[in-house]
Amino acid sequence: MATKKKAAKKAAKKAAPKKKAAPKKKAAKKAAPKKKVKRTPNAAFMKALTPSADLAAVIGSKPVPRTEAVKKIWVYIKANKLQDSKNRRMINADAKLKPVFGGKGQVSMFDMAKHMSKHLK
């Protein structure tokens, strides 16, 4: 009996009309990619600021933009190996950096910019 049922199902499948596939929708045309425009730097970042006497001992006395001042501080930190060996986010202040960091012996790299901004006018 089981074989008769299987045979009947096969015959029904063959006899049943096939469904037509739905017509494919045309793909929407993609918009042309926008041309990359070179970003202009913010004027506030490019403004030359004069470092205080304490900061000038580290980066020099010439007026520099805030971004350059941060780069020069990092060059000084790397050259003198002032990053903490265990926690690299902390910066150990030497005699020149201590007045810049408000007298603190160790400062987080995230707080460094906050302390530096007090010395740039």
Side-chain angles (χ1 to χ4, degrees):
M1 278 225 160
T3 56
K4 285 184 182 179
K5 285 183 181 177
K6 285 183 183 177
K9 280 186 182 178
K10 281 185 182 179
K13 280 186 181 177
K14 286 182 181 178
K18 291 186 177 180
K19 292 182 182 178
K20 289 187 178 178
K24 291 184 179 179
K25 292 182 182 177
K26 291 184 180 178
K29 289 186 180 179
K30 291 183 181 177
K34 291 182 180 178
K35 292 181 181 176
K36 289 190 177 182
V37 179
K38 191 168 186 179
R39 291 175 38 187
T40 56
N42 188 343
F45 283 119
M46 303 327 283
K47 182 181 175 187
L49 301 170
T50 307
S52 69
D54 296 330
L55 186 59
V58 180
I59 66 168
S61 59
K62 285 172 58 175
V64 292
R66 187 178 307 276
T67 54
E68 286 298 315
V70 172
K71 285 180 186 178
K72 287 182 178 188
I73 285 280
W74 272 110
V75 167
Y76 180 81
I77 290 168
K78 299 269 182 166
N80 294 305
K81 298 179 181 164
L82 297 177
Q83 268 185 297
D84 192 50
S85 59
K86 291 181 182 167
N87 186 357
R88 306 279 296 165
R89 287 184 287 184
M90 299 304 284
I91 299 163
N92 299 321
D94 63 351
K96 285 185 177 181
L97 280 180
K98 212 167 202 172
V100 175
F101 292 159
K104 293 183 178 180
Q106 194 175 47
V107 174
S108 167
M109 67 171 61
F110 304 111
D111 292 336
M112 181 181 70
K114 176 179 76 173
H115 291 292
M116 258 185 51
S117 67
K118 295 174 186 172
H119 293 276
L120 291 168
K121 300 282 179 192

